[in-house]
Each structure stands twice: as C-alpha cells, then as structure tokens.
Amino acid sequence: MIQKPKGTYDVYGNKGETFIALENVMKALMEKYNYEYVRTPLFESSELFHRGVGETTDIVSKETYDFKDRGDRNMTLRPEGTAGVVRSYVENKMYGNATIPVKTWYYGPMYRYERPQSGRFREFYQFGVEVFGSESPILDAEVISIPVNFYKLLGLKGLKVHINTLGDIESRTNYREALINYFKPHIDTLCEDCKSRFEKNPLRILDCKVDHDLDIMKNAPKIVDYLNEESKAHYESVKKYLEALHIEYIEDPNLVRGLDYYTHTVFEVEASVEGFGSQNVLCGGGRYNGLVEAIGGPATPGVGFAMGLERLLTALEYEHVDLTMNNGIDVYVIPMDNGLEYSIALTNDLRMCGFSTDIDSMSRKLSSNFKQADKLHSKFIILVGEEEVKTNILTVKNNHTKEEYKVKIEDIVDFLDEKLSDDCGCEECNHEN
Ligand code: ATP
Ligand code: MG
C-alpha cells in the first residue's frame, strides 16, 4: 500500500466539512473588512525566500523543500505566504494605481520540512493578510483584530493576545547592541542554536524555546528602554486602538519575530486551553516596514499576520466547537419504471434552482431507496414513474411527516421553497432549527 508522505494528512468526512465552514467564515470576514484576495504560486525561485524570509531563520536554514526543476532552476515550495505576496505586489506594481493602503488576504498550503508532531505538519494551511502602504498604527490594530474576530465568530474562547514592539530601525539597532553586550559574557551557557543566533541575529535568542526559562533570558535588556520617541508613540497608539476595540492583550517584552524587516508591532495569538499542548500559537504577525524594499520594490510599509488552520482545528475540538452542519439534503429523487431520464432532468433543474438534490443512480428497490433517503437526511422524496412522466404531476413525500402531495411540475419550485422555509413541526425539524 502506498501511504501518504510523512507530515501530511487527508481531508474527508467531518474534517472536510469543517474546513469548508472555516473557509466560508474566512471569506465572509475578509469581505466585511474590504480585503482583496490574492493567490500566488506554490513554488517560487529559492532566492525569494532567502531574501524575503531570511537566511538565518529556521524556516530557510532547515525547513524548506528545495528542488531543481528540469531547466536547472533552484525552486522552493513556499514555506509561508508573505514573501510570495510581496513579490506579487512588487511585480504587478500594485502600488501604482491601487487605493492606498492595499489590503490583501491569502489562504493555502505551505510546506516545511519539520519533525511532524501534534500541531506541526509538513504540509499545512495558512490564512493570512498583508497590508501595504501605510504606517498608521490603526492598521496594526486592525490586523490584530482580524484573527481575534475570526476566532470569536467561530466560538473559540480561551485566547491570549501577546504583543510587543521592536521599534524602528534606529531603536532596533541600539537594542541589538545592548543585547550583544549583555549576552557576550554568558554565551557559553546558551544552547548551540543561540550561539549561532548571537553571531547572526541576537534578537532571536529571546525567541529560544530551549533557553527560555533561564534567568539570563528573563533579565535581558528590554526593548522599551531603547525605543526612540517615534517608536514609543507608535506603540502607545497601537495599544490605545486595541483598547478601543476591546481587545485584551498581554505585553511580552521577549516576543520577537526573527526577521530583520520586522519593525514596530509584533504579536501572537495563543490558544489558552488546558492540555492543549506546546504547539499553542495559533497565529503570528507584525509590521515589516523594510520587507518590500528588500524584495526589490519601492520603500513601502507593511503589516500582516499568518495563522495555521490545523492548530485552530485542534483548538476548536478542545473547546467542543462543531462547525459541521449535517443538515442533510432537500430532495431525494427516486426514478421508477420509465422515469429515469425525466428524473435526471428534474434533479438537474432542482439543483440549478438552489435545492440540494440527489438521485438514485443504483436502480435500488423502492424499500432500499427509502432507507437511502433517510441515510441522506433528505427532507423530501420525489417519486417519478410512468404516471408522473405522462401527467407532469409529481408525487412528493415529506420524509419527516410522511405526508404525500401531488404537485404540478411547474409548481414544484414554489412548493419546495414554501415547505422548506418553515419546519413541518416534526422532531427532526425542531432539532435542526
Ligand atoms: P512555531 O514557533 O510554532 O514553529 P513559526 O514561528 O514557525 O511557529 P509562523 O511562521 O509565524 O510560525 O507561522 C504562523 C502560524 O502558522 C503559526 O503560528 C502556526 O499556527 C502555523 N504553523 C507554522 N508552522 C506550522 C507547521 N509546521 N504545521 C502547522 N502549522 C504551522
Ligand atoms: Mg516554526
């Protein structure tokens, strides 16, 4: 038996329904926020991620799926969405004629060669947004509000929003200096990864999951003490707007995003449910005022987030949120005698008129067809035999109350519309409503 690749999963049954439900909520929400959908390729030239994500990050240094295509080009399966969206923004000159700020969202699979475990896959789905062209802290707060509102709409409760600021380039540079001076005498007590971070990107030491609990981490210099006036003002505004949005947040001075392009706000949303496990960060993001330029575009501020769908699914399970409808279908059509072609046409017409409809395609006996209608939770059954074809009067059965009706073909749509709009008083309808 050929098996699925390690770190991947199949979607079917309830999980399929849940994913569709999540996608629907996502799309509806992005429409309300007035964000524009963008889609970029699943693979890009490797160079893009080296520049856009950064050589020193775990993602690029250890996790990418790299391959050479048949034309000997270095390609990489996208490990995240931002680099591709920024490339697209620059390549398609979205800054040219668009309304500023340009607000975009994306959704799709990402690929990282990681050790598979709960909440960590090699193919996983991310929903994210990128907003270009404005430095306003209003947008930092708006971007943070999107995952918060998304989770709220889904009915997720145990959430914690962590925020921090990295300041502008000047503040960051000063802070970096301070960290280097602070960690230098302690370098031997840090893990191997941190030793190399010290050389390449000392800020990321603060993000270390191994050394996290060491005292020297807790006592490390804090960015707040290195912020210039402008950076302070930006951060204060973000917090003010979050309060206006009634979003509770926790300030976490050790929260960093490793990349050099991150400036000002960084944030993470964590599932705070007991027993959820260590992969509990549902979503991360921040402002990256240097990224568009790094990818070859004009200096353009940006802010965004990316959230993983798998961890969200687990969080929903933990909180017993069930998004599956299992509403069943509206109509089940049973062809009899010479009614097959008529039934096929009727099924097609009903589907096109908006009714979820299925048809017996297995020439079942009438009794097993009734059972099938029950299994499909069909609300109505339409029987089509010789008589119905001849007279154009259909035999319609309410599958809940078992009442039977004779309905002219030209009245069937109105009939179903009316009957489906109010429940028939039976237990099943009451239950569904
Ligand atoms: P982590 O610290 O958990 O590795 P990260 O910093 O690598 O996360 P980001 O690159 O910021 O994560 O991605 C944003 C979100 O995407 C994460 O918060 C998480 O929900 C999800 N995510 C990241 N990597 C994976 C993965 N391998 N499998 C499933 N979800 C993932
Ligand atoms: Mg990671």
Side-chain angles (χ1 to χ4, degrees):
M1 237 288 287
I2 299 173
Q3 294 182 333
K4 63 184 181 304
K6 213 173 146 184
T8 66
Y9 59 91
D10 298 319
V11 168
Y12 54 90
N14 277 354
K15 198 165 186 166
E17 273 193 49
T18 307
F19 260 99
I20 297 281
L22 285 177
E23 287 166 24
N24 287 339
V25 176
M26 188 188 300
K27 285 175 197 156
L29 185 67
M30 287 296 80
E31 202 183 307
K32 303 288 182 299
Y33 267 87
N34 191 32
Y35 279 49
E36 182 187 328
Y37 175 69
V38 292
R39 197 175 71 196
T40 62
L42 291 196
F43 61 94
E44 300 264 5
S45 58
S46 306
E47 165 85 15
L48 175 68
F49 301 111
H50 287 236
R51 281 209 257 161
V53 181
E55 315 267 358
T56 65
T57 58
D58 283 355
I59 298 181
V60 167
S61 62
K62 335 185 204 176
E63 298 171 1
T64 50
Y65 277 89
D66 301 310
F67 63 99
K68 269 199 195 296
D69 73 5
R70 288 170 198 266
D72 214 29
R73 299 174 194 89
N74 291 314
M75 293 293 170
T76 297
L77 292 184
R78 65 180 187 194
E80 53 91 60
T82 304
V85 173
V86 173
R87 186 217 24 83
S88 171
Y89 175 83
V90 174
E91 189 167 343
N92 297 304
K93 298 191 171 56
M94 289 187 211
Y95 44 81
N97 49 8
T99 327
I100 304 291
V102 177
K103 300 179 173 187
T104 67
W105 72 279
Y106 64 84
Y107 170 67
M110 306 296 162
Y111 300 86
R112 294 187 194 174
Y113 196 81
E114 300 200 68
R115 192 170 67 79
Q117 52 193 288
S118 144
R120 207 172 276 291
F121 296 85
R122 290 185 173 172
E123 180 186 70
F124 62 99
Y125 276 70
Q126 278 187 341
F127 158 41
V129 311
E130 313 295 348
V131 176
F132 300 103
S134 167
E135 295 199 49
S136 168
I138 297 175
L139 290 169
D140 302 42
E142 176 170 295
V143 163
I144 296 173
S145 80
I146 295 173
V148 170
N149 282 336
F150 183 57
Y151 298 143
K152 197 170 171 180
L153 286 174
L154 294 170
L156 209 58
K157 292 199 181 72
L159 291 174
K160 280 187 184 155
V161 179
H162 295 261
I163 62 166
N164 189 23
T165 180
L166 301 175
D168 60 7
I169 306 286
E170 183 190 70
S171 310
R172 238 187 107 123
T173 310
N174 292 338
Y175 181 50
R176 192 172 181 276
E177 276 309 298
L179 284 176
I180 292 174
N181 293 334
Y182 173 80
F183 280 118
K184 207 173 208 162
H186 304 288
I187 189 76
D188 290 337
T189 62
L190 298 177
C191 75
E192 286 311 307
D193 275 348
C194 278
K195 284 183 185 131
S196 92
R197 286 176 188 135
F198 181 80
E199 300 295 329
K200 297 174 188 153
N201 194 342
L203 250 74
R204 294 199 54 237
I205 295 178
L206 300 175
D207 196 23
C208 181
K209 288 178 182 107
V210 180
D211 294 334
H212 188 263
D213 292 324
L214 295 183
D215 278 345
I216 82 159
M217 288 297 212
K218 292 176 188 154
N219 301 327
K222 305 283 181 258
I223 180 75
V224 279
D225 301 320
Y226 297 84
L227 295 177
N228 58 21
E229 286 309 313
E230 245 181 280
S231 302
K232 252 185 227 163
H234 185 95
Y235 190 44
E236 289 309 315
S237 298
V238 174
K239 290 194 281 184
K240 192 168 68 188
Y241 301 146
L242 287 178
E243 280 149 31
L245 288 162
H246 302 292
I247 296 175
E248 280 179 39
Y249 57 81
I250 300 162
E251 287 182 82
D252 178 352
N254 281 9
L255 174 64
V256 290
R257 316 279 299 163
L259 321 187
D260 288 341
Y261 326 103
Y262 272 99
T263 47
H264 297 290
T265 317
V266 285
F267 75 97
E268 281 182 357
V269 184
E270 183 191 277
S272 154
V273 192
E274 201 168 333
F276 187 75
S278 51
Q279 287 358 296
N280 64 349
V281 180
L282 299 179
C283 163
R287 186 166 268 289
Y288 45 81
N289 287 350
L291 182 56
V292 177
E293 211 172 353
I295 290 190
T300 309
V303 53
F305 74 77
M307 79 165 63
L309 273 282
E310 292 73 14
R311 292 181 198 180
L312 172 59
L313 235 64
T314 313
L316 290 169
E317 275 167 28
Y318 257 85
E319 295 201 3
H320 307 290
V321 177
D322 184 5
L323 301 174
T324 59
M325 301 293 190
N326 266 334
N327 258 348
I329 59 173
D330 295 327
V331 185
Y332 184 62
V333 178
I334 303 178
M336 300 180 308
D337 313 325
N338 295 322
L340 184 57
E341 277 90 342
Y342 194 101
S343 295
I344 291 175
L346 175 68
T347 302
N348 189 59
D349 289 346
L350 289 175
R351 286 171 176 162
M352 293 301 283
C353 287
F355 303 104
S356 57
T357 310
D358 212 341
I359 180 174
D360 169 36
S361 53
M362 313 272 291
S363 307
R364 288 182 169 87
K365 282 191 299 203
L366 195 58
S367 59
S368 24
N369 256 330
F370 285 134
K371 279 187 199 137
Q372 180 73 358
D374 288 343
K375 280 190 204 158
L376 296 172
H377 299 287
S378 187
K379 294 180 190 96
F380 285 89
I381 292 172
I382 300 184
L383 295 148
V384 183
E386 201 139 14
E387 187 63 23
E388 282 80 8
V389 174
K390 207 162 49 188
T391 58
N392 271 322
I393 296 175
L394 304 170
T395 303
V396 184
K397 212 171 146 174
N398 182 321
N399 199 31
H400 295 172
T401 62
K402 309 297 173 198
E403 275 167 286
E404 213 175 280
Y405 306 85
K406 293 287 179 189
V407 184
K408 281 194 217 146
I409 186 85
E410 60 264 34
D411 296 334
I412 189 69
V413 168
D414 287 343
F415 173 86
L416 289 172
D417 262 338
E418 194 198 312
K419 292 284 178 197
L420 286 166
S421 67
D422 47 34
D423 68 55
C424 55
C426 79
E427 223 168 73
E428 221 170 319
C429 283
N430 283 334
H431 175 71
E432 279 161 17
N433 294 324

